[in-house]
Amino acid sequence: MRFLRGHGGAACAALLAAQTVVGITLDVNDPNSIKQAASTAAFKMVEYYPGNKTGGIPGLLGDPYYWWEAGGMFGALIDYWVYTGDSSYNKIVSEALLWQVGPDKNYNPPNQSKSMGNDDQCFWAVAAMRAAEVNFQNPPPDQPQWLALAQAVFNSQTLRWDNTTCGGGLRWQVYSLEQGYTYKNAISNGCYFNLAARLAAYTGNTTYSDWATRAYEWSANIGLISSKYEIFDGSDLNKNCSDFNQVQWTYNSGVYMHGAATMYNFTNDDVWKQRANSLWTQASSVFFDNQVMYEVACEPRSNCNTDQLSFKGYFARWMAGSIKVAPFLEPLMKPYMQASAKAAAAQCTGGADGITCGTHWNTGSWDGTNGVGQQISALENFQSLLIDSIAPPLSNKTGGTSVGDPSAGTGGDRNPFVPSRPITTADRAGAGILTFLVLAMLLGGACWVII
């Protein structure tokens, strides 16, 4: 099998063959121990992936997993390569990220249209964004590039920004026949905010940071982010977002926190520092039991669904990402990261192979559950402990090599970087087109009427 190549996959294959070691032994202060734990968790995770086997479709996990979670898994494998240096899985990652781009090269393949959400699309986009930030091997020249794919999703979603209800925001689902089309939720808007912030940091283009600010402030003004920095799940636009589903999920807090930390790094504005710090303070009071991470909305009753089982992994990913761009957070987060990783390792003793990870990390032993979500969550918690050993996210000024396309992915719709009327002589005076657009946006000008 292709995923056995490389020192990490080979080590795990030898481990299973010998059957001399059961479970994961993790020393949170030993980089080699952390890398071995990550290698074992990644190996087991990829065992669930049928896309690199005969007859499999690259990028799809198959039932019971929705399309978006595969994007989350490949994002975790990009991080795995960055943290450990093990390239065993790079080929299947590249293959999947390029196979699923769709005809408009914006991660909206037609065969996923029945359940396409803005959050689903964005999870693949942030995987591509991460690939750009770490100089993951660039695609062949005749294929879409990582930065261009992230820009394509940003463009597509900017066109969907809906000012007609709730004063703005993205709907959960993309198409009107989908259940959830009338719901404006945290993960769709938070992921858009996160993507815009990272595009600003990579390109230096303040149009992205302006949209990031708009997305965050809309979320706060509408009440999706509470005055206590709770991140609520969402609200129905048929009620003009007048009340909220107040369920809180780890990944909602994580995606906003990482976006705010990125904006602080990009702007050096203490407003963003305060937001990132407050988001962490609130998250740390909700999502941890004796500093061990848990999904408060479903784990106590053991009723987490397939999607929710992976949320802790993205939260860990974005905790580490926040530390890298806002180092003041490290002493606050590190004890929680270490305690969570230790507890997760104690859960990875299940199955016939003795390395299957479970859900309830605070139980001290395998709980009998298994799946992609459990492996993503364990893997991201292990490898995030290595955050101090890797470089900060690259930009196009600090060695990033990914090629962008600011007009990518609009699929025939109007590009948000292009005004909806001809540029006049007065428009051109004193600035280029992008500067005009940013000013027009800030003044509420007609150039930024969103379809």
Side-chain angles (χ1 to χ4, degrees):
M1 291 181 286
R2 283 180 285 175
F3 58 76
L4 294 180
R5 288 202 304 260
H7 79 272
C12 283
L15 169 67
L16 294 182
Q19 289 291 298
T20 57
V21 179
V22 175
I24 292 176
T25 301
L26 176 65
D27 180 347
V28 298
N29 296 307
D30 180 358
N32 289 327
S33 176
I34 296 167
K35 289 180 181 181
Q36 184 57 55
S39 174
T40 305
F43 175 86
K44 183 63 182 180
M45 181 178 71
V46 176
E47 276 195 341
Y48 291 100
Y49 174 53
N52 64 326
K53 300 173 185 176
T54 303
I57 299 174
L60 298 185
L61 283 166
D63 291 337
Y65 304 102
Y66 284 106
W67 177 73
W68 78 273
E69 191 166 337
M73 183 185 77
F74 293 115
L77 286 173
I78 292 172
D79 279 343
Y80 173 75
W81 167 70
V82 174
Y83 284 121
T84 69
D86 179 7
S87 60
S88 297
Y89 310 111
N90 287 12
K91 183 175 181 179
I92 64 170
V93 171
S94 293
E95 182 181 51
L97 289 178
L98 294 174
W99 194 278
Q100 294 295 326
V101 297
D104 294 323
K105 298 180 176 57
N106 63 351
Y107 289 120
N108 192 3
N111 62 348
Q112 300 300 326
S113 61
K114 290 183 179 179
S115 60
M116 179 60 69
N118 282 302
D119 53 342
D120 300 35
Q121 185 186 34
C122 192
F123 257 79
W124 286 84
V126 295
M129 189 73 240
R130 185 60 173 158
E133 291 168 341
V134 299
N135 272 352
F136 189 72
Q137 58 196 51
N138 288 317
D142 61 340
Q143 296 292 315
Q145 304 298 297
W146 306 133
L147 177 60
L149 284 165
Q151 291 171 310
V153 174
F154 170 84
N155 290 344
S156 301
Q157 296 197 346
T158 301
L159 295 172
R160 300 181 196 132
W161 186 266
D162 174 26
N163 286 317
T164 63
T165 58
C166 306
L170 291 174
R171 298 169 185 251
W172 177 19
Q173 299 296 318
V174 172
Y175 302 112
S176 60
L177 295 179
E178 296 173 331
Q179 185 177 6
Y181 184 69
T182 63
Y183 195 62
K184 293 191 174 181
N185 64 341
I187 191 57
S188 294
N189 288 281
C191 196
Y192 174 81
F193 160 64
N194 184 287
L195 180 63
R198 292 161 72 177
L199 282 168
Y202 192 95
T203 67
N205 189 331
T206 57
T207 301
Y208 296 117
S209 58
D210 289 337
W211 273 101
T213 300
R214 175 183 285 197
Y216 182 93
E217 293 183 350
W218 174 83
S219 298
N221 292 338
I222 204 66
L224 200 59
I225 304 174
S226 79
S227 60
K228 298 178 181 179
Y229 291 88
E230 302 153 305
I231 311 292
F232 297 141
D233 187 75
S235 188
D236 197 300
L237 60 84
N238 288 326
K239 299 180 180 179
N240 201 33
C241 301
S242 59
D243 62 82
F244 289 85
N245 177 347
Q246 295 191 9
V247 171
Q248 298 180 67
W249 301 105
T250 52
Y251 79 152
N252 284 338
S253 288
V255 77
Y256 276 102
M257 181 174 66
H258 181 223
T262 301
M263 287 293 287
Y264 169 62
N265 185 279
F266 180 67
T267 65
N268 201 32
D269 187 336
D270 283 342
V271 169
W272 288 111
K273 181 178 182 180
Q274 181 270 324
R275 288 168 174 170
N277 185 67
S278 297
L279 286 163
W280 164 246
T281 300
Q282 175 60 26
S284 66
S285 72
V286 173
F287 300 117
F288 295 87
D289 178 12
N290 292 325
Q291 297 188 331
V292 174
M293 188 187 302
Y294 79 116
E295 202 63 63
V296 65
C298 63
E299 276 191 39
R301 296 179 300 280
S302 297
N303 63 343
C304 299
N305 67 24
T306 302
D307 289 348
Q308 294 153 9
L309 291 168
S310 67
F311 289 178
K312 291 185 294 186
Y314 316 126
F315 186 38
R317 178 192 301 180
W318 289 321
M319 285 174 64
S322 297
I323 286 173
K324 205 65 197 177
V325 293
F328 73 90
L329 291 169
E330 182 165 15
L332 306 177
M333 291 183 176
K334 192 170 184 178
Y336 293 82
M337 295 167 67
Q338 291 179 331
S340 296
K342 285 181 182 179
Q347 268 291 317
C348 296
T349 60
D353 53 20
I355 59 169
T356 298
C357 299
T359 303
H360 301 85
W361 296 346
N362 52 12
T363 61
S365 59
W366 186 51
D367 60 9
T369 67
N370 66 89
V372 175
Q374 287 92 332
Q375 295 302 135
I376 291 175
S377 293
L379 171 61
E380 291 278 24
N381 272 269
F382 298 154
Q383 61 196 18
S384 291
L385 297 177
L386 298 168
I387 187 62
D388 289 337
S389 69
I390 67 171
L394 297 172
S395 72
N396 58 14
K397 292 183 178 180
T398 61
T401 61
S402 190
V403 176
D405 179 1
S407 64
T410 53
D413 294 325
R414 184 173 60 81
N415 178 357
F417 284 86
V418 177
S420 56
R421 59 177 174 80
I423 298 295
T424 66
T425 301
D427 292 334
R428 294 189 179 93
I433 293 175
L434 269 179
T435 304
F436 167 75
L437 287 175
V438 174
L439 178 62
M441 181 191 74
L442 295 175
L443 298 176
C447 291
W448 285 89
V449 175
I450 301 301
I451 298 173

